[in-house]
């Protein structure tokens, strides 16, 4: 048992050491470490088939850079093999400790077992013990970016950000192509079909993070601005629809699902009348539910009373405002139960509940108008606590010189 | 020679030495030997026949002779200046041609021996053209902001031992109108040979093969790109031929 524990703790210690946030690089370039000879870029260029003098000669001399890379790759591989072995042993020990079958012990079981055997109250999750497969713990390594002779695969390799600058290069190339094309169109006096024109409303450029993820490179704010500027230039050209595919690779649709937050279909009671109940209508400390019945006569019932449940006119106005706004004051009946809070909170909660329920009975334009009027927005404000040393939440004692 | 009549000698006492031009003589010599190529390419003065890539007329047509205004002259550029016209310096294209041929010859030799060539240019107007040239001849380009230490701290910058270029070609050697490109200095530090188009306001001292000429006009840059591409292509073709014969 002692041996088991010893082994376990070793495995866990190892993984713990690496549990700190590891840069989660994308897996696009992080292929097999042996992949060094597969060219990342496919430039169909005759001269790229060239390698170094020595490579093609019989002796096949390998460059210093490649030798160093191969050494590192071999070292890394051996290390990973060892880690994998230790992980498997640790997993078996854990399974035995938990009295389960080591063969069917999955990563989920490992996590459960670690949580059970090493309970930890440490706040930071990253500091808690864990045991994960080594591939997840140790960052994968970049495949070599050059061939055996040390020739980089990418023609902008020395800029340090080949993918990003290749993108800028492509944009410029496309812009120049479009200039030429535009000249040709003018010369031939052709007219472009209006339907073909590029319409990019409803989508936005990729954010900086998304672009970074796509390119697998870090991009500075300035570079990102340059990217957007260049793309805007490309899009603004009259025949930019030719490069629609290229442009759309870097655009992402806007979220148009504003009301897709499913509007409930009204239910029907035994008389065939439609009704919608909104639960959890909250405002300040008030809490209640609102039922809208259609068709109706505009009767409002609040906790069994009518609108006179509220004594002040402001609260009454609050309750009937959504009905008047939508013009439904004579078409529906309202029944609500409300508790907690004061008149202002209660009326606010009912107002929101009525507006929320009315969504099922109005058309899309009205929904838009209600959204703009702020009827569908929850008011999350709560009472602010009183602070010591002053009479209220914000109020201070009167200032006196002395 | 009408254009020479228009160009006046430099006003502010700058002496112009035109006697160092040997371009014509060398050209004649290399044409003689071109019929019997030497065994070792290095023994031949112009193994890749780069002298026939251009003429002085081509340079003139591409506006290579235009320098900057007199006031911005770098004194190390004085030997390459023919004169001044309306306050603008004019390069002596005979000298330019000679230097350019030497540079092209060197480029072709580097390409022949399997070296990496990297093109530099910090002028946004011409950057795309330079990158395109590099792509077309299977070489490398760096026309962007120079992060310090790409050469001098390469192992750290690229995260591994990295093979650096064997030849740097600067289509302009200035970073902006005031400062020299840092890569010129770094190449000199690392003994990487450099070819640089040096305008009348540039310092040619750290450049291995300076080529005096206009480094701003797109037409001129186009010509340089075309010439260097042709030289690299010749070098690589000769290498391919050599490898096929010897393997």
């Amino acid at each position: 048992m002692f041996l088991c524990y010893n082994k376990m703790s070793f495995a866990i210690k190892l993984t713990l050491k690496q549990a700190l946030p590891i840069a989660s690089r994308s897996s696009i370039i992080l292929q097999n470490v042996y992949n060094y000879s597969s060219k990342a870029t496919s430039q169909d260029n005759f001269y790229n088939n060239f390698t170094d003098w020595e490579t093609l000669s019989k002796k096949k001399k390998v460059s210093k850079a490649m030798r160093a890379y191969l050494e590192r790759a071999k070292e890394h591989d051996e290390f990973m093999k060892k880690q994998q072995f230790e992980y498997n042993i640790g997993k078996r020990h854990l399974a035995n400790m938990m009295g389960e079958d080591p063969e069917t012990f999955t990563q989920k079981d490992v996590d459960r077992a670690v949580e059970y055997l090493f309970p930890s109250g440490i706040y930071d999750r990253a500091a808690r013990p864990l045991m994960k497969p080594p591939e997840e713990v140790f960052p994968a390594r970049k495949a070599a970016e050059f061939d055996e002779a040390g020739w980089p695969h990418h023609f902008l390799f020395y800029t340090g950000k080949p993918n990003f600058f290749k993108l800028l290069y492509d944009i410029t190339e496309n812009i120049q192509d479009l200039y030429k094309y535009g000249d040709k169109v003018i010369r031939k006096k052709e007219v472009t079909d209006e339907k073909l024109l590029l319409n990019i409303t409803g989508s936005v450029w990729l954010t900086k993070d998304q672009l970074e993820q796509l390119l697998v490179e870090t991009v500075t704010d300035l570079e990102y601005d340059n990217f957007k500027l260049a793309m805007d230039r490309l899009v603004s050209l009259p025949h930019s629809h030719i490069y629609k595919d290229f442009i759309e690779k870097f655009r992402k649709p806007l979220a148009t699902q504003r009301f897709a937050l499913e509007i409930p279909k009204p239910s029907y009671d035994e008389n065939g009348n439609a009704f919608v109940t909104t639960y959890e209508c909250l405002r300040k400390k008030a809490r209640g539910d609102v039922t809208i019945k259609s068709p109706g006569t505009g009767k409002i019932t609040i906790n069994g009373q009518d609108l006179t449940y509220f004594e002040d006119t402001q609260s009454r106005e609050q309750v009937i405002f959504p009905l008047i706004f939508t013009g439904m004051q004579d078409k529906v009946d309202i029944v609500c139960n409300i508790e907690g809070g004061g008149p202002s909170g209660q009326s606010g909660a009912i107002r929101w509940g009525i507006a929320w329920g009315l969504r099922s009975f109005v058309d899309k334009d009205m929904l838009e108008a209600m959204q703009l009027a702020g009827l569908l927005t929850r008011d999350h404000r709560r009472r602010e606590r009183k602070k010591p040393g002053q009479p209220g939440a914000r109020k201070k004692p009167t200032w006196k010189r002395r | 020679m009408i254009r020479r009549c228009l160009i006046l000698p430099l006003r502010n006492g700058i002496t112009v030495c035109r006697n160092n031009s040997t371009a014509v003589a060398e050209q004649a010599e290399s044409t003689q030997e071109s019929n019997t190529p030497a065994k070792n390419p290095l023994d031949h003065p112009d193994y890749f026949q780069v002298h026939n890539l251009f003429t002085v007329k081509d340079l003139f047509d591409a506006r290579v002779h235009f320098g900057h205004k007199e006031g911005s002259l770098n004194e190390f550029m004085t030997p390459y200046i023919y004169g001044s016209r309306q306050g603008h310096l004019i390069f002596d294209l005979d000298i330019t041609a000679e230097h350019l041929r030497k540079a092209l010859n060197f480029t072709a030799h580097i390409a022949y021996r399997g070296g990496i060539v990297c093109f530099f240019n910090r002028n946004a107007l011409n950057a795309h053209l330079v990158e395109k040239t590099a792509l077309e001849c299977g070489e490398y380009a760096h026309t962007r902001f120079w992060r310090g230490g790409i050469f001098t701290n390469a192992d750290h910058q690229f995260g591994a031992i990295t093979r650096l270029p064997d030849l740097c070609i600067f289509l302009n050697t200035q970073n902006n109108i005031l400062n020299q490109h840092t890569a010129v200095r770094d190449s000199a530090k690392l003994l990487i040979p450099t070819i640089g188009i040096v305008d009348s306001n540039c310092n040619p001292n750290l450049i291995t093969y300076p080529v005096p000429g206009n480094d701003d006009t797109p037409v001129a840059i186009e010509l340089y790109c075309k010439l260097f591409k042709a030289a690299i292509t010749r070098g690589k073709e000769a290498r391919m031929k050599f490898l096929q014969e010897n393997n």
Side-chain angles (χ1 to χ4, degrees):
Chain A
M1 190 59 205
F2 172 73
L3 191 81
C4 285
Y5 187 81
N6 210 7
K7 267 277 173 196
M8 252 300 298
S9 64
F10 179 56
I12 283 170
K13 205 166 69 194
L14 252 176
T15 47
L16 244 181
K17 206 169 65 187
Q18 300 292 333
L20 298 167
I22 292 156
S24 58
R25 300 185 195 156
S26 173
S27 56
I28 298 173
I29 49 163
L30 308 174
Q31 290 149 5
N32 192 347
V33 279
Y34 294 118
N35 248 356
Y36 62 84
S37 57
S38 67
K39 286 205 170 188
T41 52
S42 59
Q43 301 164 10
D44 22 305
N45 197 322
F46 167 75
Y47 293 113
N48 281 345
N49 300 328
F50 260 112
T51 47
D52 197 23
W53 190 271
E54 289 85 5
T55 319
L56 285 178
S57 69
K58 280 163 198 157
K59 264 163 89 186
K60 192 133 190 166
K61 203 172 153 194
V62 176
S63 83
K64 209 161 117 193
M66 188 38 100
R67 246 193 340 259
Y69 170 76
L70 286 176
E71 248 166 53
R72 269 183 295 120
K74 199 176 149 203
E75 213 172 86
H76 179 74
D77 192 52
E78 273 168 14
F79 174 74
M80 287 304 277
K81 229 183 211 164
K82 207 174 139 214
Q83 290 300 317
Q84 187 67 48
F85 177 74
E86 280 178 1
Y87 170 78
N88 287 334
I89 294 272
K91 201 166 85 170
R92 292 189 79 87
H93 285 314
L94 268 186
N96 287 335
M97 273 188 244
M98 299 297 286
E100 287 176 35
D101 182 17
E103 299 303 324
T104 57
F105 208 61
T106 60
Q107 180 58 37
K108 228 179 196 169
D109 301 324
V110 170
D111 294 340
R112 193 169 38 81
V114 169
E115 208 181 329
Y116 175 73
L117 292 168
F118 302 93
S120 167
I122 299 175
Y123 176 74
D124 194 352
R125 279 188 170 277
R128 292 184 197 163
L130 79 142
M131 196 170 112
K132 296 257 183 243
E135 305 88 71
E136 282 180 38
V137 176
F138 300 102
R141 299 180 62 91
K142 223 174 176 180
E145 293 173 287
F146 39 80
D147 64 9
E148 287 89 338
W151 278 64
H153 293 319
H154 201 287
F155 81 111
L156 297 173
F157 170 80
Y158 292 107
T159 58
K161 291 179 185 175
N163 293 344
F164 177 74
F165 289 125
K166 177 68 172 34
L167 172 58
L168 290 194
Y169 172 86
D170 287 340
I171 296 172
T172 319
E173 186 75 28
N174 293 346
I175 287 176
Q176 292 192 349
D177 267 6
L178 285 186
Y179 283 154
K180 272 183 214 152
Y181 182 80
D183 289 349
K184 215 163 74 187
V185 168
I186 291 169
R187 235 178 290 130
K188 288 188 176 173
K189 292 182 182 141
E190 281 172 2
V191 184
T192 323
D193 190 1
E194 288 285 323
K195 280 179 208 156
L196 281 174
L197 292 182
L198 189 63
N199 182 15
I200 54 162
T201 48
S203 63
V204 287
W205 295 120
L206 293 183
T207 62
K208 186 165 158 267
D209 293 340
Q210 288 164 334
L211 186 70
E212 280 177 346
Q213 219 163 23
L214 185 75
L215 298 174
V216 210
E217 279 168 5
T218 53
V219 176
T220 64
D221 288 344
L222 184 73
E223 283 163 347
Y224 177 65
D225 287 346
N226 287 346
F227 156 74
K228 278 206 295 190
L229 217 63
M231 279 309 237
D232 283 336
R233 178 79 162 276
L234 177 65
V235 169
S236 70
L237 292 177
H239 303 284
S240 53
H241 59 268
I242 296 173
Y243 290 107
K244 194 172 174 221
D245 293 344
F246 176 78
I247 291 166
E248 263 161 23
K249 252 195 302 184
F250 302 98
R251 290 190 78 84
K252 164 186 77 102
L254 265 176
T256 48
Q257 326 279 57
R258 212 201 269 154
F259 297 113
L261 195 69
E262 67 292 342
I263 296 169
K265 286 263 182 312
S267 322
Y268 293 91
D269 60 9
E270 59 275 14
N271 301 333
N273 295 335
F275 72 95
V276 170
T277 306
T278 312
Y279 298 97
E280 301 247 330
C281 304
L282 311 173
R283 164 97 172 91
K284 286 191 174 176
K285 295 243 164 169
R287 179 191 183 87
D289 56 76
V290 175
T291 308
I292 298 175
K293 293 177 180 169
S294 174
T297 55
K299 199 174 146 209
I300 297 175
T301 317
I302 304 169
N303 285 354
Q305 302 178 34
D306 64 352
L307 200 58
T308 53
Y309 174 81
F310 293 117
E311 283 169 13
D312 49 345
T313 46
Q314 193 192 341
S315 301
R316 292 178 189 174
E317 275 171 9
Q318 283 282 303
V319 170
I320 56 172
F321 178 68
L323 294 170
I324 293 170
F325 185 83
T326 50
M328 308 278 276
Q329 65 266 44
D330 299 328
K331 294 178 190 153
V332 289
D333 282 343
I334 311 287
V335 179
C336 35
N337 301 305
I338 191 92
E339 59 183 13
S344 160
Q346 289 190 346
S347 61
I350 293 171
R351 183 185 107 142
W352 182 80
I354 292 173
W356 202 247
L358 279 177
R359 291 181 310 159
S360 312
F361 300 102
V362 297
D363 58 8
K364 213 172 172 190
D365 291 341
M366 184 50 80
L367 265 179
E368 196 82 43
M370 284 168 80
Q371 173 84 36
L372 288 175
L375 281 169
L376 303 178
T377 312
R378 265 277 280 123
D379 189 349
H380 288 284
R381 289 175 302 172
R382 300 303 297 263
R383 178 185 163 275
E384 188 175 338
R385 64 154 289 189
K386 179 197 172 295
K387 314 291 185 305
Q390 54 195 54
R394 301 284 172 100
K395 188 174 168 58
K396 314 283 187 305
T398 317
W399 184 77
K400 272 163 72 179
R401 187 182 286 271
R402 58 187 59 81
Chain B
M1 291 296 107
I2 297 161
R3 80 188 160 91
R4 289 197 174 161
C5 303
L6 293 170
I7 300 166
L8 307 169
L10 278 181
R11 253 173 276 144
N12 38 12
I14 299 167
T15 49
V16 174
C17 39
R18 288 213 57 234
N19 50 3
N20 57 357
S21 171
T22 56
V24 182
E26 193 187 304
Q27 193 178 333
E29 192 185 324
S30 52
T31 36
Q32 278 175 5
E33 288 184 24
S34 61
N35 299 330
T36 52
K39 256 290 183 242
N40 184 358
L42 287 176
D43 294 340
H44 199 282
D46 189 5
Y47 184 77
F48 301 99
Q49 302 288 306
V50 292
H51 70 269
N52 62 19
L53 283 175
F54 69 97
T55 61
V56 173
K57 175 82 167 59
D58 294 335
L59 296 181
F60 181 73
D61 290 343
R63 277 98 97 190
V64 172
H65 56 292
F66 287 126
H68 286 257
K69 286 213 168 190
E70 269 174 32
S72 62
L73 174 68
N74 185 315
E75 60 178 87
F76 293 110
M77 291 303 293
T78 329
Y80 311 117
I81 303 292
Y82 181 79
S84 152
R85 184 174 187 274
Q86 292 179 346
H88 288 272
L89 295 169
I90 303 295
F91 287 107
D92 188 334
L93 288 185
D94 289 339
I95 305 176
T96 299
E98 181 198 339
H99 281 83
L100 188 52
R101 286 193 174 109
K102 275 183 192 164
L104 289 173
N105 186 31
F106 185 71
T107 311
H109 273 285
I110 288 282
Y112 177 66
R113 300 174 77 84
I116 294 178
V117 180
C118 190
F119 288 88
F120 288 84
N121 174 40
R122 280 297 278 144
N123 188 346
L125 180 62
N126 304 315
H128 183 72
L129 180 64
V130 173
E131 283 182 354
K132 200 171 178 178
T133 309
L135 183 62
E136 279 168 1
C137 52
E139 296 294 348
Y140 301 85
H142 192 310
T143 62
R144 305 292 174 173
F145 173 74
W146 180 264
R147 293 183 298 152
I150 289 182
F151 283 176
T152 47
N153 195 17
D155 294 1
H156 186 255
Q157 289 266 342
F158 297 110
I161 298 175
T162 304
R163 182 172 166 188
L164 294 177
D166 298 299
L167 169 64
C168 295
I169 299 179
F170 292 89
L171 274 310
N172 76 349
T173 63
Q174 298 285 92
N175 221 347
N176 47 48
I177 55 160
L178 297 174
N179 304 324
Q180 193 175 45
H181 199 308
T182 322
V184 175
R185 190 195 67 193
D186 287 356
S187 310
K189 277 184 185 173
L190 294 179
L191 297 182
I192 298 172
T194 48
I195 291 171
I197 309 294
V198 280
D199 213 326
S200 64
N201 61 343
C202 306
N203 184 347
N205 282 5
L206 287 179
I207 308 277
T208 324
Y209 290 90
V211 179
N214 182 356
D215 67 356
D216 297 290
T217 313
V219 189
I221 299 290
E222 233 167 83
L223 177 73
Y224 301 137
C225 284
K226 202 186 86 195
L227 294 179
F228 283 115
K229 188 179 153 191
I232 291 172
T233 312
R234 285 187 186 185
K236 284 186 170 178
E237 269 166 7
R239 178 163 143 239
M240 197 53 148
K241 215 171 121 199
F242 176 87
L243 290 174
Q244 277 165 355
E245 281 167 8
N246 290 278
N247 264 358

